[in-house]
Amino acid sequence: MTPGDNGKGRNKGHSINPKPRALTAREVALDVLVRVDEQGAYSNLLLNSSLQKSGLSREDAGLATELVYGTISRLITLDFVLEQFVSKGLVKLQPWVRSLLRLSLYQIMYLDRIPSHAAVNEAVNISKKRGHQGISGMVNGVLRSVLRAGDLPVLPGNLSEAKRISLQHSHPLWMVKRWIAEYGAEIAEAICAANNEPPAVSVRVNTTLISREKLLNEMQEQGLNALASEVSPYGIVVKGGGNMALTPWYRDGYLSIQDESSMLVAEAVAPEPGMKVLDCCAAPGGKTAHMAELMKDEGYIYANDLHLHKAKLISDQAVRLGLESIVIGSVDAMDLDSTCEHSSFDRILLDAPCSGLGVIRRKPDLKWRKEPEDVASIAALQKGLLESVSKLLKPGGMLVYSTCTTEQAENSDIVTSFLDMNPDFTAITFSSPIWGRLQETALARGEGIQILPNHFGSDGFYISCLQRRL
């Protein structure tokens, strides 16, 4: 640049650094799927960051989200079908081609609103941009062969029940076998089918600021399709309302986003104003905040979490909801019995670390990451935690043990073993109002309530209420 030349007027009509072409919804979804496949990235975290950078419209962001979660969720079924049409096998394809075929087949098989020819055309366009003529020809040929094949998948008639469910509903065979052993084939299939349904959006009302009826009326007056939850007296289910965390109600602390089953846990604890309550594994703080709301923010809740950065999430929630009764701590829950006074809490919540097999709908890649051995190893930890924190409960007080899994090795087996070793505790789960409300649907498992994903379209949860004898 020469003196006096400010650079203006040069390259008029042209940009030195032209703005990169914006990606389409399918291209954003494809990039996420390739990184999940190749690098083991967590789909929810990667998708969120990708959408923030993408500049996609709300509708296209919704399509990209559905393509990512739907493709990951249906992976076994999609690969089973594609293996019949890809002559050299899926494993020999370039990762992006493999993911492109999967997300295109997902649209053809499961999305009624997208015409099949449109899904094929988009796949061919993407393969032309990213590959060469040969690849686009192969993609076109495979997908058009799929269209000519009619209804898919076509399963062999000689499959075992477990294998059929695994292929039909895209779940690992070991997981299906465990659920058949615990609940029977019919319920196991219903669990798998429910796990493939998109989760509903539900919110918990902050009853220290507003009643459920009043907030529900406000939502309906704003044109939202909002209904009172049948599972929790504190919940509202919102259909097609978008991200509720972006609403003024959320900003002003009138609601929290929480699954309906998860809302039952604080209700089971039944904390009252003035009580001293311990939440052993509290982050991100939804159940802690709910307990504070039930206590009308009068009393003391010690919310502990092992990870300091997660404990910060609890603090942020408390501030947003205007709750001052919550005190944050960060130690290993196994050490709480050496840092807290024994027999000092009126209520204790142990929402234990678990395999998480009840929340597959929200985290579909979880089913591909878990192994059967994970259940046994986490069960040993759960047993130790329950034994340790139970020492902190007052005589006459109540301890609630909960998990978001369907595995009885982590649920009823843990509670039964604890009661056998601690005769000063007794189970009072089935005198809870929750059982009175749900017993037509939820299952009694040992000394606790088991809610499965197919019962209410909510997360799978286990809740057991244990009282220390006077």
Side-chain angles (χ1 to χ4, degrees):
M1 185 181 298
T2 56
D5 182 356
N6 61 9
K8 294 180 179 178
R10 297 178 65 182
N11 298 307
K12 188 175 181 180
H14 302 279
S15 173
I16 296 174
N17 297 307
K19 189 177 179 181
R21 180 182 63 83
L23 296 179
T24 66
R26 289 176 178 82
E27 289 173 311
V28 170
L30 176 61
D31 287 341
V32 172
L33 289 170
V34 171
R35 289 181 61 186
V36 170
D37 188 28
E38 282 287 278
Q39 303 168 11
Y42 284 95
S43 60
N44 57 337
L45 300 178
L46 184 55
L47 178 63
N48 287 341
S49 63
S50 297
L51 289 178
Q52 287 173 5
K53 297 172 188 170
S54 69
L56 290 177
S57 67
R58 179 177 167 180
E59 291 75 17
D60 281 346
L63 175 60
T65 300
E66 176 149 19
L67 293 179
V68 168
Y69 288 146
T71 302
I72 291 173
S73 189
R74 302 280 187 174
L75 208 52
I76 283 183
T77 314
L78 297 173
D79 283 3
F80 173 78
V81 172
L82 286 170
E83 288 289 1
Q84 300 168 45
F85 295 94
V86 178
S87 57
K88 64 180 181 180
L90 281 178
V91 72
K92 293 182 179 176
L93 297 179
Q94 294 181 54
W96 72 268
V97 180
R98 184 165 58 237
S99 291
L100 178 61
L101 286 173
R102 286 168 172 166
L103 80 82
S104 302
L105 181 60
Y106 173 74
Q107 296 167 71
I108 292 169
M109 288 180 63
Y110 298 108
L111 295 188
D112 293 337
R113 69 178 186 276
I114 296 179
S116 295
H117 63 82
V120 175
N121 290 340
E122 288 297 326
V124 171
N125 289 337
I126 291 173
S127 59
K128 284 179 179 175
K129 291 175 188 169
R130 301 200 176 195
H132 51 69
Q133 193 67 32
I135 291 178
S136 66
M138 185 275 289
V139 167
N140 188 42
V142 168
L143 295 178
R144 294 200 180 281
S145 296
V146 166
L147 292 183
R148 288 193 293 272
D151 291 337
L152 296 169
V154 178
L155 302 179
N158 59 350
L159 296 175
S160 68
E161 190 74 338
K163 184 67 174 174
R164 181 190 65 77
I165 294 172
S166 171
L167 282 177
Q168 184 84 43
H169 300 286
S170 196
H171 278 66
L173 185 58
W174 70 265
M175 211 175 275
V176 176
K177 287 181 175 177
R178 287 184 77 105
W179 286 336
I180 288 177
E182 290 193 351
Y183 303 109
E186 185 177 347
I187 292 179
E189 183 162 14
I191 293 172
C192 293
N195 283 344
N196 288 332
E197 295 296 322
V201 174
S202 55
V203 301
R204 187 191 75 244
V205 181
N206 181 358
T207 50
T208 66
L209 297 179
I210 192 170
S211 70
R212 178 168 78 164
E213 182 181 22
K214 188 167 190 306
L215 183 56
L216 187 56
N217 287 337
E218 286 188 14
M219 289 180 172
Q220 291 171 340
E221 287 171 2
Q222 293 289 323
L224 292 184
N225 183 2
L227 300 167
S229 167
E230 296 179 1
V231 179
S232 168
Y234 308 98
I236 295 175
V237 178
V238 185
K239 298 179 181 177
N243 188 348
M244 295 301 290
L246 301 179
T247 64
W249 297 303
Y250 181 87
R251 182 197 60 208
D252 296 338
Y254 288 99
L255 60 80
S256 296
I257 298 168
Q258 189 176 26
D259 183 79
E260 293 173 274
S261 297
S262 183
M263 295 177 205
L264 297 176
V265 177
E267 185 186 354
V269 176
E272 298 173 10
M275 281 186 168
K276 184 178 179 184
V277 178
L278 169 63
D279 190 350
C280 304
C281 306
K287 300 178 187 72
T288 306
H290 192 189
M291 289 192 290
E293 291 162 9
L294 294 176
M295 293 166 65
K296 305 186 188 306
D297 202 27
E298 298 172 12
Y300 171 85
I301 300 181
Y302 181 53
N304 175 73
D305 198 86
L306 171 61
H307 304 288
L308 192 59
H309 68 285
K310 290 186 177 179
K312 174 71 166 50
L313 298 175
I314 310 169
S315 175
D316 292 344
Q317 288 296 316
V319 169
R320 184 182 65 81
L321 295 165
L323 301 170
E324 298 178 349
S325 57
I326 298 170
V327 175
I328 314 295
S330 182
V331 300
D332 187 330
M334 200 70 85
D335 297 331
L336 284 170
D337 71 329
S338 60
T339 58
C340 296
E341 183 183 350
H342 285 205
S343 305
S344 64
F345 287 95
D346 299 289
R347 297 282 189 271
I348 294 177
L349 170 59
L350 176 57
D351 188 45
C354 70
S355 60
L357 299 191
V359 296
I360 286 175
R361 285 179 320 141
R362 298 184 188 282
K363 301 176 181 177
D365 42 357
L366 186 147
K367 61 186 173 185
W368 313 124
R369 297 178 187 277
K370 293 295 178 183
E371 300 290 342
E373 298 75 22
D374 295 335
V375 174
S377 62
I378 200 83
L381 173 64
Q382 293 159 342
K383 189 175 181 180
L385 285 172
L386 183 55
E387 191 68 46
S388 175
V389 303
S390 65
K391 299 170 185 169
L392 307 177
L393 188 67
K394 284 181 181 177
M398 183 161 64
L399 187 159
V400 168
Y401 175 83
S402 65
T403 73
C404 59
T405 191
T406 53
E407 299 303 293
Q408 296 314 310
E410 303 176 55
N411 295 339
S412 57
D413 291 359
I414 298 294
V415 171
T416 299
S417 172
F418 173 78
L419 290 174
D420 287 345
M421 299 293 292
N422 294 274
D424 56 331
F425 278 81
T426 186
I428 55 171
T429 306
F430 301 113
S431 60
S432 159
I434 294 172
W435 181 241
R437 198 163 66 240
L438 303 184
Q439 62 179 313
E440 295 296 324
T441 306
L443 304 176
R445 279 294 185 268
E447 300 293 351
I449 301 170
Q450 180 68 60
I451 299 164
L452 298 174
N454 55 301
H455 286 155
F456 303 101
S458 60
D459 291 346
F461 247 90
Y462 177 84
I463 301 170
S464 185
C465 306
L466 308 173
Q467 189 169 44
R468 188 172 184 181
R469 300 179 198 273
L470 288 169

